[in-house]
Amino acid sequence: MPDSIAIVEEPIDYTALTEQVRSNACGAVVLFMGTVREMTQDKQTVALDYEAYPEMAYKTMQQLIDEARAKWDVHLIGIEHRVGHLTLGEISVAIAVSSAHRSEAFEAGRFLIDRLKEIVPIWKKENWADGTTEWEHPGITAE
């Protein structure tokens, strides 16, 4: 089974994504899920809106998978990012990585989410409780 990349409008099925990367050859599967949180620094979030440039996003995510494979001995990788309007607690991104050993899966997973946020053309609009909004662009992140 090959690696998988998806940009979806419906809720992310993280169980299915995890199952896609599982293998009897692997002793580790790591799943990262990014969710909509209520507080960003001192501002209250009510929702997020995500937009993507799909053709470029798919290409860039494949580049990240290729980079991860060059650095770590991983078996399968799955990346899903949601677009559209998301409310508190909803999953915006999921990354699953399988490998023979946990260290490679953890390191590759962290690399993938960190680089995804830096370079993949997916934009996030914060909808604040005070009625204002703010766009966040790749490479400019609020922790």
Side-chain angles (χ1 to χ4, degrees):
M1 175 176 273
D3 297 319
S4 66
I5 298 170
I7 297 171
V8 298
E9 293 182 9
E10 62 278 352
I12 292 173
D13 183 346
Y14 59 89
T15 302
L17 183 66
T18 303
E19 288 302 313
Q20 286 176 13
V21 303
R22 279 176 33 100
S23 166
N24 290 339
C26 297
V29 174
V30 169
L31 172 67
F32 170 82
M33 294 187 307
T35 60
V36 179
R37 66 176 174 254
E38 185 174 10
M39 299 300 292
T40 300
Q41 296 165 355
D42 62 344
K43 295 182 97 171
Q44 184 178 10
T45 301
V46 294
L48 299 176
D49 292 296
Y50 284 94
E51 292 184 6
Y53 175 19
E55 296 82 5
M56 184 60 83
Y58 279 104
K59 180 180 175 184
T60 308
M61 285 190 270
Q62 184 59 58
Q63 287 177 297
L64 294 180
I65 288 173
D66 295 343
E67 288 177 34
R69 287 192 166 289
K71 294 178 183 218
W72 296 281
D73 185 15
V74 296
H75 184 66
L76 289 171
I77 297 171
I79 302 174
E80 282 193 30
H81 204 297
R82 189 152 170 216
V83 293
H85 186 77
L86 284 73
T87 58
L88 294 178
E90 290 190 271
I91 301 166
S92 57
V93 62
I95 297 174
V97 180
S98 62
S99 65
H101 303 285
R102 67 183 176 273
S103 61
E104 289 89 355
F106 275 113
E107 291 171 18
R110 174 141 194 177
F111 166 82
L112 288 163
I113 188 57
D114 287 349
R115 290 294 287 153
L116 183 146
K117 289 180 64 86
E118 291 172 356
I119 66 171
V120 175
I122 296 175
W123 301 275
K124 174 174 76 173
K125 181 171 74 171
E126 295 266 6
N127 297 283
W128 308 112
D130 66 6
T132 61
T133 62
E134 182 179 346
W135 281 100
E136 182 180 308
H137 303 281
I140 306 170
T141 59
E143 294 295 323

